[in-house]
Amino acid sequence: MSQPPAASHRHALLSILPYLWPRGEAEMRLRVVLAVVFLVLAKAANVLVPIAYARAVDALAPREGVGAMLAIPVALVIGYGLLRVMSSAFAELRSAVFAKVQARASRRVALRVFAHLHGLSMRFHLDRATGGLSRVIERGTRGIAIALNFLLFNIIPTIVEILLVAAILWWMFAASFALTVLLTIAAYVAFTLLFTNWRLRFRRAMNAMDEEANTKAVDSLLNYETVKYFNNERHEARRYDESLARYERAYTRSETTLNMLNAGQATIMAAGLTVVMLLAGGGIAAGTMTVGDFVMVNTYLIQLYLPLNVLGFAYREIRQGLTDMEQMFRLLDVPAEVRDAPDAKELPPGPGEVAFEEVRFHYRPDREILKGVSFTVPPGRMLAIVGPTGAGKSTISRLLFRFYDATGGTVRVDGEDVRAVTQDSLRRAIGVVPQDTVLFNDTIAYNIAYGRPGATQEEIEEAAKLAQVHEFVMKLPEGYRTRVGERGLKLSGGEKQRVAIARTILKNPRILILDEATSALDTRTEQEIQAALRGVARGRTTLVIAHRLSTVVEADEILVLDEGRVAERGTHAELIARGGLYAEMWRRQSEAVAAAEAAARAEEEARFGRGRSARVEGEMRA
Ligand SMILES: Nc1ncnc2c1ncn2[C@@H]1O[C@H](COP(=O)(O)OP(=O)(O)OP(=O)(O)O)[C@@H](O)[C@H]1O
Ligand SMILES: [Mg+2]
């Protein structure tokens, strides 16, 4: 944390305020007002309780002319009961009315952070662990609930009550009563805060040890197989027990210091109570106070003691809640790297021409990935990009999609600089089948329909047929309603790729990027899909990135990318004739293919041969 905690806590509190008093939401504002009213009523009733109690005691005390007075104490006792009921009823009403405000604030904040995260750049997301981000949102919204509840309904009301009680005591009796109460509470609060701050380290140690023991246990169980391979069960148990022992020590310390805190608090309260009762006793002896007054003073202090009792806990929770909130709000301050220009316009409809002009790009300043790449893909044509791994092929597709901005040169779509149009309109025009397809943990139908939310079942199946995945889906017991598992892991690589192709077909973009879209398929399926993709690509500008050169033979132009530069360009025939890098790659791949085919033939022959000899043997035996 760069800021001091106090400042950052203040920042967190200020950030939440607009959500508690939302503009244009009359209902929420009304609820806030009602909650405050109920809070005041509850506290007022609470403060009146000891007075009713005291007057009842006085009315019941033996005096001359008894008997006739019985009606008064009964009324006072009933009044006492009613006040108590009102005190808790108003407190519950206040919670009920405020619950929605708090839930709405949490919802709005969570949504805002979520939307903001989606608006942030690829770079941010690659650098952050997604699991960690969702934990930050979860803890942050929980922090809002905790901090608000304790602050608004515990700390602040208690302060109000303390001041009210002090005022009443001053007004009814003497300043000494009010001063004693205030001093007692001041001592109590100071002691609690100091002690809790000191104790925090034990609490933290306990959490850290808990986490450590947990991590070890999980890691060890996940590595079940490895543990068995090396007969290390005893070693694992010892390591786990070491962590548990540390946790045991930390827990014991944390608990004993909590007992010390409680004991200290009780001592301070008892001391204050004693002084106040001595003062009241003196008042009775002097005839200025009644027995009822004595009871009243006592009751006030005990009543204040209750909310104060949780002060240490509340303080710790509020601190933690504010820290969590602050962490979440800090996410909102992260600027998006790729942003729409202030005067960005919609990408106008067009034929889909793509042009790179001397484009340079680096992810990190110390390593340039693209060193001046230029090419133009005329509308409806197909450009293939080939080259060794790490050459920057996928990077080109990321720049066109504007996941990053080029550090030099210009990327144009239909003549428009991609930086001058809105990201939304640009991305609507481009369909990408990425190198590593990831699916949502939902059904196949959902994942295909993702290309165009609202697509009908017929449209989904139409796209699936084009992507050669329909037949496979029909073989599944649950068909299109089959769930694909986390990130789509229940599908094979090739099945995933075909689902990804289907959803891009459904998106129907004017520009198509296929980044190794068929790399996970066997040669036969690939050939089938290639045919389908050719159909899809017809009339669209297409960028094909591929390792398997057989898939790019028909491209209108082939770009050989090497170390961020265009090493060669031309049609397949031209490049072969040229006898350069591409020709070399082609020769090697053809050899590999020939070798594979020869191996397959040999295997088939061997099997066929064995089969024949087995038959011959069988015949002979017969
Ligand atoms: N987010 C990133 N941060 C830093 N470096 C990156 C990042 N993404 C890619 N790179 C680097 O940029 C280079 C080009 O990556 P790119 O993904 O464009 O390669 P490619 O040509 O598509 O390779 P492949 O054929 O293996 O898919 C690689 O060396 C890679 O390590
Ligand atoms: Mg790649």
Side-chain angles (χ1 to χ4, degrees):
M1 231 188 276
S2 51
Q3 301 174 40
S8 81
H9 287 169
R10 213 165 26 249
H11 177 235
L13 274 179
L14 288 180
S15 312
I16 191 69
L17 281 185
Y19 294 93
L20 290 180
W21 193 248
R23 199 171 304 140
E25 289 191 63
E27 186 201 333
M28 293 303 139
R29 291 187 167 187
L30 181 66
R31 280 172 180 276
V32 173
V33 172
L34 277 178
V36 172
V37 170
F38 286 137
L39 172 64
V40 171
L41 288 178
K43 282 298 158 198
N46 207 28
V47 167
L48 289 178
V49 165
I51 297 182
Y53 188 29
R55 293 291 81 89
V57 169
D58 280 342
L60 285 170
R63 258 179 291 173
E64 306 100 74
V66 203
M69 305 295 281
L70 196 62
I72 297 175
V74 169
L76 281 168
V77 168
I78 291 178
Y80 165 82
L82 279 181
L83 282 172
R84 287 203 72 128
V85 169
M86 274 161 64
S87 161
S88 25
F90 283 129
E92 297 305 325
L93 270 175
R94 175 217 68 201
S95 297
V97 162
F98 195 72
K100 190 162 176 185
V101 179
Q102 182 192 306
R104 183 63 61 88
S106 291
R107 173 180 154 200
R108 291 253 184 279
V109 175
L111 184 66
R112 173 123 180 263
V113 175
F114 179 78
H116 183 74
L117 288 178
H118 263 303
L120 287 181
S121 357
M122 187 109 166
R123 194 188 305 272
F124 173 84
H125 283 281
L126 291 180
D127 285 345
R128 282 297 287 252
T130 313
L133 279 182
S134 67
R135 295 268 307 148
V136 170
I137 299 187
E138 183 195 313
R139 276 206 311 258
T141 44
R142 213 176 54 94
I144 292 177
I146 290 176
L148 282 185
N149 261 324
F150 276 113
L151 265 182
L152 293 183
F153 298 137
N154 184 295
I155 304 292
I156 295 178
T158 305
I159 293 174
V160 171
E161 189 173 349
I162 290 169
L163 294 179
L164 266 178
V165 168
I168 288 176
L169 291 179
W170 193 323
W171 178 62
M172 292 184 75
F173 311 117
S176 52
F177 285 91
L179 277 179
T180 313
V181 168
L182 287 181
L183 275 178
T184 308
I185 288 173
Y188 183 98
V189 169
F191 170 72
T192 305
L193 296 193
L194 286 176
F195 203 89
T196 302
N197 267 341
W198 173 72
R199 246 191 96 225
L200 226 47
R201 74 189 72 176
F202 302 118
R203 181 81 203 180
R204 283 211 193 97
M206 188 178 113
N207 286 348
M209 293 307 132
D210 181 43
E211 209 164 283
E212 183 193 299
N214 217 10
T215 315
K216 270 192 195 158
V218 170
D219 193 38
S220 168
L221 289 175
L222 278 182
N223 277 304
Y224 172 85
E225 237 180 299
T226 318
V227 174
K228 293 282 166 208
Y229 285 146
F230 296 98
N231 304 69
N232 272 345
E233 293 91 338
R234 257 199 304 270
H235 168 73
E236 288 297 320
R238 199 170 47 241
R239 263 165 52 92
Y240 184 46
D241 191 44
E242 277 166 17
S243 297
L244 285 182
R246 273 198 288 275
Y247 175 74
E248 180 187 293
R249 267 197 300 281
Y251 174 82
T252 317
R253 269 206 206 124
S254 171
E255 281 301 295
T256 44
T257 52
L258 178 63
N259 299 135
M260 283 155 67
L261 174 66
N262 289 342
Q265 288 174 333
T267 310
I268 294 177
M269 268 333 265
L273 209 58
T274 313
V275 172
V276 164
M277 283 163 72
L278 282 178
L279 285 174
I284 293 178
T288 53
M289 285 175 80
T290 64
V291 176
D293 293 337
F294 184 86
V295 171
M296 175 163 86
V297 171
N298 188 0
T299 314
Y300 269 133
L301 268 188
I302 290 179
Q303 213 166 279
L304 284 181
Y305 183 53
L306 280 178
L308 282 179
N309 212 4
V310 289
L311 184 66
F313 176 67
Y315 174 67
R316 228 175 34 228
E317 290 291 306
I318 289 175
R319 261 184 73 154
Q320 189 58 49
L322 287 178
T323 308
D324 289 345
M325 265 160 80
E326 173 64 15
Q327 239 177 34
M328 184 173 65
F329 282 123
R330 203 141 358 110
L331 280 181
L332 286 177
D333 295 339
V334 178
E337 178 188 332
V338 174
R339 260 186 293 187
D340 281 350
D343 55 345
K345 51 176 184 175
E346 295 273 301
L347 178 68
E353 187 195 65
V354 173
F356 272 52
E357 295 165 3
E358 276 303 310
V359 170
R360 298 181 157 268
F361 180 72
H362 56 70
Y363 292 100
R364 302 160 36 119
D366 48 2
R367 185 172 163 229
E368 191 157 49
I369 304 292
L370 296 182
K371 303 164 185 163
V373 171
S374 301
F375 61 82
T376 305
V377 197
R381 293 303 176 82
M382 179 190 283
L383 174 82
I385 305 177
V386 303
T389 169
K393 303 184 294 294
S394 301
T395 304
I396 288 184
S397 82
R398 283 179 211 127
L399 291 181
L400 179 55
F401 204 69
R402 210 167 164 226
F403 272 145
Y404 300 89
D405 276 333
T407 41
T410 317
V411 177
R412 288 184 197 282
V413 170
D414 285 330
E416 302 284 346
D417 188 332
V418 293
R419 281 168 295 200
V421 298
T422 61
Q423 296 170 62
D424 191 54
S425 65
L426 173 73
R427 292 184 184 144
R428 242 181 291 131
I430 303 175
V432 183
V433 181
Q435 193 162 11
D436 307 299
T437 301
V438 177
L439 301 182
F440 292 100
N441 188 359
D442 207 302
T443 62
I444 293 185
Y446 174 87
N447 273 291
I448 295 180
Y450 203 79
R452 194 199 305 154
T456 64
Q457 183 66 24
E458 286 78 62
E459 289 171 319
I460 292 175
E461 289 184 19
E462 189 62 31
K465 277 179 194 149
L466 278 175
Q468 312 279 331
V469 72
H470 178 72
E471 252 175 68
F472 155 72
V473 176
M474 291 324 280
K475 272 190 247 156
L476 296 171
E478 290 180 87
Y480 280 92
R481 284 205 296 278
T482 308
R483 301 190 67 92
V484 300
E486 189 89 17
R487 295 171 81 81
L489 283 177
K490 284 193 195 166
L491 297 186
S492 78
E495 288 155 6
K496 255 192 313 207
Q497 278 192 334
R498 282 180 285 170
V499 169
I501 292 172
R503 73 178 171 197
T504 308
I505 289 175
L506 212 49
K507 180 174 176 180
N508 192 22
R510 71 176 101 145
I511 298 166
L512 192 61
I513 303 177
L514 305 169
D515 191 349
E516 304 272 358
T518 54
S519 61
L521 304 177
D522 57 78
T523 334
R524 212 176 96 224
T525 323
E526 177 166 36
Q527 274 163 8
E528 280 168 14
I529 291 206
Q530 284 298 332
L533 281 178
R534 264 198 296 280
V536 179
R538 199 165 298 131
R540 288 173 219 279
T541 312
T542 312
L543 232 72
V544 180
I545 297 171
H547 273 137
R548 231 181 271 167
L549 299 185
S550 55
T551 57
V552 305
V553 174
E554 293 174 36
D556 296 296
E557 188 180 21
I558 298 170
L559 225 60
V560 183
L561 204 64
D562 192 19
E563 305 210 336
R565 284 201 179 80
V566 179
E568 296 173 15
R569 66 200 327 159
T571 62
H572 174 74
E574 286 164 4
L575 290 174
I576 292 288
R578 200 175 151 195
L581 203 61
Y582 183 85
E584 169 70 15
M585 281 159 67
W586 178 258
R587 191 179 56 76
R588 249 183 286 149
Q589 284 199 5
S590 311
E591 270 172 16
V593 170
E597 273 168 7
R601 228 180 359 257
E603 193 186 331
E604 217 159 276
E605 259 164 31
R607 210 182 304 145
F608 180 61
R610 253 203 317 281
R612 190 167 50 187
S613 55
R615 222 173 18 254
V616 172
E617 263 172 40
E619 279 163 7
M620 272 169 56
R621 237 180 270 131

